[in-house]
Amino acid sequence: MLGYRVQKVARTAAVALSFLFIFAIVAFAQNGPGVDRRQNEPGKFDFYVLALSWSPSYCEAAQERGQGRAPGGVADQQCSGRPFSFVVHGLWPQYEQGFPAFCQVPAPRLDKAIVGSMLDLMPSPRLIFHEWDRHGTCSGLSAHAYFETVRKARAVVKIPADYLELDKPIMLAPDDVAEAFIKSNPGLSRTSVAVACDNKRLNEVRVCLDKNFAFRDCADVVRRSCRRDKVAMPAVRGG
């Protein structure tokens, strides 16, 4: 009987220690090196990333996946109608390392009038709703103020003329795209712009801005730049 009680106490202690070990691991994952202590606190971040998506790459990839249409058979506005070159993917609050996301769940409701007003820069209602839920709620701004901030940030960045009406597909180095943006935007440097790609295409250009919309360094963002020698830029064309 005594031996049974000793074994039971030992098992209970082992279970308790196991839970403590698990809690310690979770705590370290949440608060360990590289994790910002302000984790997902609305309005508490260091700078913005303006992500500019190369729309022809998005549409080509969506077509390959059979995702060129939204639920119900409605064509994706970005991939039908008038052609788009670089469009706004999003304006993302950032920490020096990492970024907040989904800072209010559920997110405050997004007015349809705001969605309609942003379609010239972000030609997909689904994208606008997603960006508000994931990134906009972390800005600490109202929906109206956040999307006005998106518009102000986009106005700061000039798209290189060669990419506005690209009439045939090209292959080029990601560094060439970064240099084109740097030449078109005085004050922009290699330490404040990143080029993203998939396994064959250029996806987007990410420009780092402080809260006053001045270009600023962002080592953690630049570190994740595309490392391929060459990437494809599909041509700008209609739907």
Side-chain angles (χ1 to χ4, degrees), residues 17-158:
L17 286 172
S18 296
F19 277 113
L20 286 173
F21 182 68
I22 292 170
F23 291 147
I25 291 173
V26 172
F28 180 81
Q30 292 178 338
N31 300 300
V35 176
D36 198 283
R37 299 306 194 275
R38 297 165 293 180
Q39 196 75 350
N40 296 340
E41 192 176 342
K44 300 299 177 74
F45 60 96
D46 298 312
F47 63 98
Y48 288 113
V49 164
L50 176 66
L52 299 171
S53 172
W54 182 244
S55 183
S57 288
Y58 167 80
C59 294
E60 189 174 279
Q63 186 176 25
E64 290 174 359
R65 296 191 302 267
Q67 296 176 349
R69 292 182 175 272
V74 179
D76 189 315
Q77 184 170 347
Q78 185 177 170
C79 303
S80 63
R82 76 176 182 87
F84 292 95
S85 55
F86 278 105
V87 300
V88 174
H89 179 175
L91 184 67
W92 306 336
Q94 299 281 300
Y95 303 133
E96 295 298 343
Q97 289 188 318
F99 57 89
F102 299 108
C103 295
Q104 292 178 261
V105 180
R109 187 173 180 178
L110 193 56
D111 192 284
K112 290 183 178 179
I114 294 176
V115 176
S117 73
M118 293 303 298
L119 289 173
D120 60 323
L121 298 184
M122 305 172 72
S124 168
R126 288 178 295 166
L127 172 64
I128 295 169
F129 280 107
H130 173 77
E131 291 299 304
W132 167 243
D133 290 351
R134 180 166 183 168
H135 299 287
T137 56
C138 297
S139 68
L141 302 171
S142 68
H144 176 77
Y146 171 71
F147 284 103
E148 281 298 309
T149 301
V150 173
R151 190 169 292 279
K152 289 176 183 177
R154 172 61 186 86
V156 167
V157 179
K158 182 179 180 180

